[in-house]
Amino acid sequence: MARAHRVALLGTVVVISYVLTFFKILSVPLLDAKVADQIIPVLPWWLLVSFGSYCLWSIGMGLLTLRECPEAYNELLGEITEAKNDLRMKGVTVD
Amino acid sequence: MQGSFNSPDTHKYSVILPTYNERKNLPVIVWLLAKTFTENQLAWEIIVVDDNSPDGTQEIAKQLAKLYGEDKIVLKPRAGKLGLGTAYIHGLNFVTGDFVIIMDADFSHHPKFIPQFIRLQKAHNLDIVTGTRYRATSKPSSPDAQPGGVHGWDFTRKLVSRGANFLADTVLNPGVSDLTGSFRLYRLPVLRHIITETVSKGYVFQMEMMVRARALGYTVGEVPITFVDRIYGDSKLGSNEIVSYAKGIWVLFTTV
């Protein structure tokens, strides 16, 4: 079973239970009926907004924490020069 | 784990370097690799898989083989530009070591990280160690890791890279932070196994290798690396690559 199948299976179960709850075929345990009536219709939108925020936060944090490494660049330039000089001395063609 | 080679650590490390028009880069990367391996007393070889470069890369490779020895620099050219995935399969036919390192030949991957890869592999008996630009510590943790990073990327490049990794991470949950990087150490039989199951090409190829490795139950460690974008030549990332990358994620999502 590929990951897509597992996700689809889980998604189907969640959607079916949501629809059944929405049409009051299933009841919400441990929650006042009045409160449940108010929460159930907006739940998908809440999930959507939460997921969107999570995406933005993840990518934003990723961008912020992606480090610049100028020291690696400078070190590399030095090593390239050293390598070229050494190789030239040893008879390898270096441009 | 004990190896079977007559070297200080009983192992031998084979680097597969796919090249196409790397005449300028090849001698320097080989010099850096040779220096790293010699300083760390590791047995090594470099398999240069050249796709018939018109710029004379092979001529340079032959000169390097003369300098370092034909057992160290092994030139195995191919008839034309046949792609990255098949270059590794081709190179694997000639590997004599028990570990394989794959990396780019353009200095964006610095050989100085290889000893860290090897130490982490030995400490945890890992099947794969991969370099990551996005972490500050290694996984499993190790005291000698320095924070990773990139150089030479503008904001757009960073955003695309972060977005691409986030997308793949969310959809595929591969358990490694840098999927599109390609600086990795593999146990030889592990690489052979994964590569036979891998079907995609180009950018997606590296990602698929990691996703398959996880699905097959291999252990993967991560070492932070610094990534200096191509000093000579252009790095290629256009909208075509982005579309084929997204397609690749979808294919992996529905098949692995």
Side-chain angles (χ1 to χ4, degrees), chain A residues 2-4 55 58 62-63 65-70 72-73 75-76 79-80 82-84 86-87 92-93 95, chain B residues 23 27 31 60 63 107 110 112 134 147-151 158-159 162 166 171-173 226 228 232 253-254 256:
Chain A
R3 189 169 159 82
C55 292
S58 294
L63 277 171
T65 54
L66 186 51
R67 201 176 68 91
E68 285 282 344
C69 53
Y73 174 71
E75 183 192 344
L76 179 62
E79 282 170 327
I80 290 174
E82 197 189 332
K84 283 186 172 171
D86 189 45
L87 286 165
V92 177
T93 314
D95 295 337
Chain B
R23 176 195 171 89
W31 186 87
I60 302 289
Q63 291 183 14
F107 324 137
H110 198 295
K112 69 183 171 192
Y134 305 126
V150 295
H151 181 270
K158 285 182 182 171
L159 182 64
R162 269 312 201 176
F166 174 76
V171 177
L172 303 170
N173 190 25
T226 52
V228 178
Y232 306 117
F253 182 56
T254 50
V256 183

Side-chain angles (χ1 to χ4, degrees), chain A residues 37-83:
Chain A
D37 280 353
Q38 285 182 320
I39 290 176
I40 297 293
V42 294
L43 201 60
W45 309 113
W46 178 79
L47 280 174
L48 190 68
V49 172
S50 302
F51 181 68
S53 316
Y54 166 73
C55 292
L56 283 179
W57 188 82
S58 294
I59 296 178
M61 273 311 277
L63 277 171
L64 279 179
T65 54
L66 186 51
R67 201 176 68 91
E68 285 282 344
C69 53
E71 76 287 351
Y73 174 71
N74 295 325
E75 183 192 344
L76 179 62
L77 284 188
E79 282 170 327
I80 290 174
T81 316
E82 197 189 332

